[in-house]
Amino acid sequence: MRTDYDVAVVGGGLLGAAIAWGLGRLGQKVCVLDEGDITIRASRANFALVWVQGKGLGMPAYAGWSFGASHLWPQLAQELKDQTGHDVCYQRPGGFLIALGERELGVRSDICRRMMAQGVPDGYRMEMVSREELARLVPEIGPEVSGASYNPADGHVNSLRAYRALHEGMRLFGVDYRPGATVERVDYRGGEFSLTTATGPVTAGKVVLAAGNGNQRLAPQVGLFAPMAPTRGQILVSERTEPFLHYPFGTIRQTDEGTVMMGDSKEDFLDDRVARLPVSAVIADRARRTLPRLGRLNVVRSWSGIRVMTRDGYPVYDQSLSCPGAFVTCCHSGVTLASQHAFQIAAMIRDGALDPGRVAPFSARRFDDAPATL
């Protein structure tokens, strides 16, 4: 097996796979070191939204980064289909965040107003929609729905197909994928990185940490900082039904296969082995009140998953000063931002430096306890 690579990517989830696919697309020799599917993997527990609205409240750069990702997604979906034959079923009809009752409507209106007031990219729209306007588009909304916020850039995708396509595409680009290769240590000597893994040593000219919450352990080994604060979420999936919901609702969406996904929880309890029934009951109740049809459908699957989350919820992209060629990438929105990672971040890593004009606001230097050497 080869042991010398241009880039070693640590982590084979959606984040690492998108970066590795992008590097392979650029002709780089890449190795992906992954724990494998037995690990706690956010990529198989996500809600599959390509979402823009509301992202970046308090950090305008994140609004622009997410908005840009939505514009790049059609290119990513098409290139994956052309290369692998897999249709990832990307759709961009616009999306709604629903309010149940007047209090929630007021909260949504305030977020919308603040979002637009802080400054947004050219072409960005987030607006309030009345119950009457929403009912014309989605006649099946329940009587408690008081309105919604809307962004035309919002969409969704079949994330499992996207994940499979990225891995298939990596293989076609010659990327060496190593499952079961948990990285235990990263050392830097003489301009080269040596990674100690469960399946043997690997050397590379550059290293990208894309190991989700595991970055917190690995980052200090190469002079980087990954301040993580994972949370847990739960999802319910209904039986298949005829197409009726043509817009993603943020917490409810109908998949290309006809099932309906429901999920809207955030828990500090970090065991993903069991679903917590009280949480599932709240999710199901809100979904039924939003779309009464759902009360007549059977729930056929449910799961919980651990979210990859930085302390403030915004991405972290950094490069090491003490170990040139080492990069850390952390984000919650691995689906939404996959296009940015595949096309923008991968190119920056190939070139050996992050573009401060694009990603400087996402440096971990924004945290008060960030090391001075970062």
Side-chain angles (χ1 to χ4, degrees), residues 146-165:
S146 52
S149 58
Y150 171 75
N151 191 313
D154 291 332
H156 57 152
V157 69
N158 187 316
S159 59
L160 292 180
R161 289 188 185 182
Y163 185 56
R164 179 182 177 186

Side-chain angles (χ1 to χ4, degrees), residues 24-352:
R25 175 178 175 269
L26 296 172
Q28 297 286 282
K29 289 196 300 181
V30 182
C31 180
V32 175
L33 304 170
D34 191 26
E35 289 183 326
D37 281 339
I38 61 170
T39 190
I40 298 174
R41 193 190 290 288
S43 297
R44 66 182 182 209
N46 64 76
F47 203 64
L49 295 174
V50 179
W51 207 249
V52 175
Q53 69 168 295
K55 289 190 173 181
L57 184 60
M59 183 186 270
Y62 186 36
W65 191 239
S66 301
F67 189 52
S70 74
H71 286 292
L72 285 172
W73 248 103
Q75 179 185 349
L76 178 60
Q78 188 61 55
E79 289 199 23
L80 288 173
K81 186 175 183 179
D82 291 344
Q83 182 193 26
T84 70
H86 295 305
D87 183 356
V88 301
C89 303
Y90 172 64
Q91 301 173 58
R92 194 192 193 197
F96 297 95
L97 277 172
I98 302 299
L100 292 175
E102 294 303 315
R103 188 189 67 82
E104 289 188 11
L105 186 64
V107 171
R108 292 246 51 83
S109 297
D110 182 60
I111 291 174
C112 183
R113 177 189 58 78
R114 291 163 56 201
M115 193 77 206
M116 298 304 293
Q118 74 175 12
V120 293
D122 290 342
Y124 182 102
R125 285 171 53 201
M126 183 177 174
E127 58 195 30
M128 295 304 299
V129 174
S130 69
R131 173 185 169 79
E132 292 70 29
E133 293 173 286
L134 181 60
R136 282 195 290 270
L137 297 170
V138 188
E140 296 200 24
I141 58 171
E144 293 182 66
V145 175
S146 52
S149 58
Y150 171 75
N151 191 313
D154 291 332
H156 57 152
V157 69
N158 187 316
S159 59
L160 292 180
R161 289 188 185 182
Y163 185 56
R164 179 182 177 186
L166 285 168
H167 272 258
E168 177 97 358
M170 288 192 319
R171 182 184 65 80
L172 293 172
F173 282 138
V175 172
D176 185 1
Y177 173 67
R178 299 192 185 184
T182 303
V183 174
E184 299 160 0
R185 178 155 188 85
V186 185
D187 293 293
Y188 177 74
R189 286 187 295 271
E192 183 179 71
F193 293 92
S194 176
L195 297 93
T196 303
T197 84
T199 58
V202 171
T203 57
K206 299 171 189 165
V207 65
V208 180
L209 302 182
N213 295 313
N215 280 345
Q216 187 160 261
R217 173 180 65 87
L218 294 170
Q221 298 179 17
V222 287
L224 291 165
F225 183 50
M228 310 305 294
T231 62
R232 193 182 99 129
Q234 293 186 191
I235 289 175
L236 305 178
V237 183
S238 80
E239 62 186 320
R240 288 177 173 84
T241 188
E242 69 272 21
F244 77 100
L245 184 58
H246 305 294
Y247 301 88
F249 271 16
T251 60
I252 305 170
R253 74 179 193 93
Q254 187 168 27
T255 71
D256 57 284
E257 297 171 338
T259 60
V260 178
M261 295 182 69
M262 300 158 272
D264 184 17
S265 67
K266 183 178 179 180
E267 308 164 63
D268 294 330
F269 178 72
L270 298 182
D271 185 346
D272 72 338
R273 293 173 295 179
V274 295
R276 304 177 77 183
L277 292 181
V279 175
S280 297
V282 172
I283 292 171
D285 181 61
R286 284 189 61 89
R288 174 194 60 80
R289 290 158 62 197
T290 301
L291 293 164
R293 168 196 286 251
L294 298 179
R296 300 188 295 274
L297 296 178
N298 293 313
V299 171
V300 295
R301 290 194 301 281
S302 67
W303 64 79
S304 62
I306 307 303
R307 295 186 180 95
V308 175
M309 190 74 72
T310 64
R311 285 187 206 159
D312 62 3
Y314 301 128
V316 166
Y317 307 113
D318 265 318
Q319 61 193 80
S320 177
L321 297 178
S322 59
C323 303
F327 300 84
V328 65
T329 57
C330 313
C331 80
H332 164 57
S333 299
V335 177
T336 298
L337 299 180
S339 56
Q340 294 281 31
H341 298 148
F343 296 128
Q344 304 294 342
I345 295 296
M348 296 178 202
I349 292 167
R350 187 262 324 257
D351 295 341

